[in-house]
Amino acid sequence: MGSTVITIPADVELALPKNIQNKDERQKFSIFGIISNLTLRVLDQKTKQDTRKLLHSIKVGVALVLVSLLYLLNPLYEQVGENAMWAIMTVVVIFEFYAGATLCKGLNRGMGTILGGVLGCSAATFAQEVGGMGKGNAVMIGSWVFVMGATATYFRLVPSIKKRYDYGVLIFILTFNLVIVSGLRADKVLEIARDRLSTIAMGFAVCIFVSLLVFPTWTSDELHDSTAHKFQLLADSIEGCLENYFRLDKENMKDDSISSSCKSVLNSKSKDETLANFAKWEPWHGKFGLNYPWTKYLQVGELLRDLATIVISLKGCLQSPRQPWSGLMQSIEEPSEAVGLTLAWSLRELGESLVKMRRCNKEAVIVPKLNSMRLELSSIVSPSKFGPIENVDGLAIASFVFLLTEMIEKLEELAKVIEELGELAGFHTK
C-alpha cells in the first residue's frame, strides 16, 4: 500500500490564542506543568521551613544554657539564689518561633509582672495597715483578690485587649495574686518581688538577644512572603480550572491541587491576623519601617480569600453534569483561555510587585488588560455570535461568564489595594 507524505511549511503555526502561542506559555498552561511547579515550590518551602525549625531549636537550647548559668556558676547563684528558676521559666514560656511573637510575649510578661507586683505590694500594705494582722487583714486581701481578679478577667475578654495584651493580663492576674497572698505569710514581700522581677528581666534579656540578633525569624517577612505566595496559588488554580474544563477526557481530571490551593488561601485568615499582630511589635529591620501598613496586608488577604471562593465556585460550575454542547464549548474555548491567562498573568504581576516591593503600575498595565478581558467576556454571550441558545446552554454559559467577570472585579480591587500599599510603604518604581 502506498503512502502519501504531506509537507507542512515551517512558517505555519497552530491556531492557538495569541496569549499562548509560544511553547513556554502552552507548557505553563498545561495542568501537568501546573502540578509539577506546585510540587517543586512546596518541596522548596518545606526545606526552608525545616531549616528554620532546626535553627529555632538550637536558639532555644542556647538561651536555656545561658540562663542555666545562674544555677551552674557559684558567683551568680550566690547573687540570685533559688530565684534563678524564674529566669529559666521565662525563657521556656516566652521564646517563640518568630521574633515578633517573642518580643510581644516578653513585653506583655514584663508589663504584667511589674504592674501586678506593684499593685500587689500596695494592696498588701494597705490591707495590713487597715485590717491589722488578724482576720481583718485576711478579709481585705480576699476582697482585693476578688475585685482585681474579676476586673482583669473582664478586660481580658474585650476583643481589642485580648488581641494584643491577653498574655500580659494573664500574667498580671497571676503576679498580683502571688504577691498579695504571699505577703500574708511572708515578711519581706518587697524583697521577694524585687528578686523575682530581676531574674525575670534576665530571662527576657537573654530571649531578646538570641531571638533578635542570632538568625532572627521575622514575623513581617513571613506575612509578606505568605501573602505574595497566595497570588501564585490562585493564578495556578485559575489556569488549572480552565485547562480541566476544556479537556476532552473529563473523567480523569486531576483537580486536587486546585482545591487544596484554594482551601489553603481560605483557611489563612487566622494565621494572617496573628502574624500581623506580631509584626506590629517588631523593631525596624531590613525593608520594613517602624510604621509599616500591616493592616493593608490583611485587606489584601481578605480580597484573595474572596477570589478563592470564586475559583471554587467556578470549579463547581465546570464540574456540573449539565454543560453546553461540545460545539458551543469549542467556540468559547479560545476567548475563555485568553481571559484565564490574562487573569493568571495579572495575579502573578501583582504578586511579583509585592515580592519585589515595587509599584504595580495599575493604570498603565493591569487595568487596560482587565478592561479588554471584560470586552472579551461580553463577546462570549453576544447573541450575534452564537444566535439562539437553549435554556440549559444559556444558563451554563451565563454562570461561567459571570464568575469570570467577578474575578476581574476582584482583581481590580486587588490592584487598587496593592497600589495603596506601595504608596504607604514607599515601594520603588520599576
Side-chain angles (χ1 to χ4, degrees):
M1 181 182 292
S3 60
T4 304
V5 178
I6 301 176
T7 303
I8 301 177
D11 57 346
V12 173
E13 281 188 296
L14 295 175
L16 289 171
K18 186 170 63 175
N19 301 66
I20 54 173
Q21 292 240 337
N22 61 72
K23 181 178 179 181
D24 292 337
E25 290 294 330
R26 291 200 302 271
Q27 184 178 4
K28 185 191 297 183
F29 197 75
S30 169
I31 186 65
F32 300 105
I34 293 169
I35 294 175
S36 63
N37 289 337
L38 276 173
T39 304
L40 290 174
R41 283 198 297 270
V42 168
L43 290 175
D44 183 55
Q45 288 181 352
K46 191 177 186 311
T47 302
K48 291 181 180 178
Q49 190 70 7
D50 290 341
T51 303
R52 292 163 65 188
K53 289 179 181 178
L54 179 61
L55 284 174
H56 173 70
S57 302
I58 296 173
K59 287 161 62 177
V60 172
V62 171
L64 288 173
V65 169
L66 290 177
V67 293
S68 297
L69 295 177
L70 296 174
Y71 264 116
L72 300 176
L73 299 180
N74 289 330
L76 295 178
Y77 181 76
E78 292 174 358
Q79 295 294 324
V80 298
E82 294 295 332
N83 288 315
M85 72 174 70
W86 291 95
I88 298 175
M89 289 176 58
T90 300
V91 171
V92 173
V93 171
I94 74 171
F95 206 120
E96 295 288 340
F97 184 77
Y98 296 108
T102 301
L103 192 59
C104 173
K105 292 191 72 175
L107 292 176
N108 270 274
R109 184 177 179 86
M111 291 186 293
T113 301
I114 293 173
L115 189 59
V118 170
L119 290 180
C121 290
S122 301
T125 304
F126 177 80
Q128 187 175 0
E129 293 292 333
V130 175
M133 297 302 295
K135 293 183 178 180
N137 188 17
V139 171
M140 289 295 297
I141 289 178
S143 301
W144 275 109
V145 168
F146 171 78
V147 171
M148 297 304 295
T151 304
T153 301
Y154 176 80
F155 280 105
R156 188 185 175 195
L157 298 177
V158 176
S160 58
I161 296 178
K162 186 176 183 64
K163 185 176 181 181
R164 299 196 68 181
Y165 305 107
D166 180 67
Y167 184 67
V169 177
L170 179 66
I171 294 299
F172 166 79
I173 297 173
L174 175 63
T175 305
F176 178 84
N177 282 274
L178 287 176
V179 170
I180 193 173
V181 172
S182 62
L184 186 64
R185 302 293 180 182
D187 296 331
K188 300 179 180 179
V189 62
L190 288 176
E191 184 179 348
I192 294 173
R194 183 197 64 196
D195 293 340
R196 290 183 180 179
L197 184 60
S198 62
T199 53
I200 289 173
M202 293 177 190
F204 173 69
V206 170
C207 286
I208 296 302
F209 174 79
V210 176
S211 180
L212 269 64
L213 300 181
V214 181
F215 300 105
T217 303
W218 300 108
T219 317
S220 48
D221 286 336
E222 177 67 19
L223 178 60
H224 180 83
D225 295 339
S226 64
T227 302
H229 181 59
K230 293 172 193 171
F231 285 88
Q232 182 65 44
L233 290 178
L234 291 179
D236 291 341
S237 298
I238 292 173
E239 288 181 343
C241 273
L242 295 179
E243 169 71 14
N244 282 338
Y245 186 51
F246 294 108
R247 283 172 61 93
L248 297 178
D249 184 13
K250 292 184 180 293
E251 295 182 356
N252 297 323
M253 290 190 305
K254 295 182 179 181
D255 53 2
D256 292 340
S257 61
I258 298 172
S259 299
S260 61
S261 297
C262 292
K263 288 178 181 178
S264 67
V265 175
L266 288 173
N267 297 330
S268 64
K269 181 176 182 179
S270 177
K271 178 184 176 182
D272 288 352
E273 291 178 348
T274 302
L275 292 176
N277 179 38
F278 291 147
K280 294 175 183 177
W281 291 88
E282 291 181 348
W284 177 89
H285 65 94
K287 51 183 177 280
F288 302 115
L290 291 174
N291 298 315
Y292 207 79
W294 298 116
T295 53
K296 284 293 179 182
Y297 280 80
L298 297 180
Q299 190 175 352
V300 171
E302 286 294 334
L303 290 173
L304 289 173
R305 281 185 284 275
D306 292 341
L307 187 58
T309 59
I310 299 175
V311 175
I312 291 178
S313 300
L314 179 64
K315 178 174 170 286
C317 175
L318 302 183
Q319 289 179 337
S320 173
R322 295 188 175 184
Q323 297 292 339
W325 54 283
S326 58
L328 184 58
M329 288 183 61
Q330 290 178 0
S331 63
I332 67 172
E333 179 176 0
E334 182 174 335
S336 298
E337 288 183 345
V339 171
L341 281 175
T342 302
L343 289 171
W345 175 88
S346 300
L347 276 170
R348 291 192 178 98
E349 180 67 18
L350 292 174
E352 187 178 357
S353 299
L354 190 62
V355 170
K356 297 182 178 180
M357 301 184 74
R358 58 172 171 78
R359 300 289 177 85
C360 64
N361 204 3
K362 176 176 75 78
E363 297 296 334
V365 179
I366 305 292
V367 172
K369 283 185 175 292
L370 294 179
N371 287 335
S372 65
M373 290 303 100
R374 190 179 283 107
L375 295 176
E376 193 81 27
L377 291 175
S378 300
S379 68
I380 292 179
V381 293
S382 174
S384 61
K385 183 174 181 179
F386 295 109
I389 302 177
E390 296 182 5
N391 292 334
V392 175
D393 293 338
L395 180 60
I397 294 296
S399 301
F400 176 72
V401 172
F402 171 76
L403 292 173
L404 289 180
T405 306
E406 283 292 298
M407 289 186 189
I408 292 177
E409 298 293 336
K410 288 298 176 184
L411 269 174
E412 289 180 341
E413 294 182 38
L414 268 173
K416 181 179 179 181
V417 175
I418 293 294
E419 188 175 40
E420 293 174 354
L421 175 61
E423 293 175 355
L424 293 173
F427 284 7
H428 59 82
T429 57
K430 288 184 180 181

